Amino acid sequence: MTEPLDLARLQRRLAEFAAARNWQPYHTPKNLAAALSVEASELVEIFQWLTPEESARVMADAGTAHRVEDEVADVLAYLLQFCGTLGIDPLAALAAKIDRNERRFPVAGDRDGDEPGQVPDS
């Protein structure tokens, strides 16, 4: 029977995979951040010349869907390894960021003078 997936287990598997191949010396924060950027760019490349409508349908094509899933997996793998190297809990970091954004960008009309549909910088 397959065990349920969770981030901590996947992080351990990635660390074990790298350790078995003696890759830890190369898994520095700088190198992992660079690799993450490269993999994210490879994901962007799939969508580069698509119209918004075409991009919404990429998962309908089995070949393209497989490429998207592979790049998403690569991005997530490097992000989890990056977090593991620096001792960041990615779920806690995300929850904290959402909390900050909810305070920074309240629902339109919750603050006087806010423009409806305000879009955040980052």
Side-chain angles (χ1 to χ4, degrees):
M1 180 172 188
T2 305
E3 294 183 36
L5 297 176
D6 66 65
L7 286 182
R9 183 175 322 230
L10 291 172
Q11 281 181 296
R12 280 192 305 277
R13 285 185 63 195
L14 288 165
E16 290 166 2
F17 183 89
R21 290 152 181 83
N22 297 314
W23 290 351
Q24 304 98 318
Y26 309 105
H27 285 194
T28 64
K30 178 192 78 70
N31 287 349
L32 292 168
L36 174 59
S37 175
V38 168
E39 295 301 338
S41 294
E42 290 178 7
L43 180 60
V44 170
E45 183 180 30
I46 296 168
F47 294 88
Q48 185 172 8
W49 303 114
L50 300 181
T51 65
E53 297 78 20
E54 290 168 335
S55 71
R57 295 189 305 266
V58 295
M59 299 309 283
D61 176 73
T64 305
H66 180 71
R67 288 177 54 217
V68 170
E69 289 174 351
D70 274 357
E71 296 308 334
V72 166
D74 288 341
V75 167
L76 183 56
Y78 279 117
L79 180 59
L80 292 177
Q81 290 174 90
F82 178 83
C83 289
T85 298
L86 292 177
I88 297 169
D89 177 339
L91 295 180
L94 178 57
K97 180 67 174 187
I98 292 169
D99 290 344
R100 285 192 304 277
N101 283 343
E102 286 174 340
R103 288 188 301 277
R104 280 182 66 200
F105 306 104
V107 174
D110 281 0
R111 283 193 327 205
D112 291 336
D114 274 350
E115 292 291 321
Q118 180 181 7
V119 178
D121 307 345
S122 58

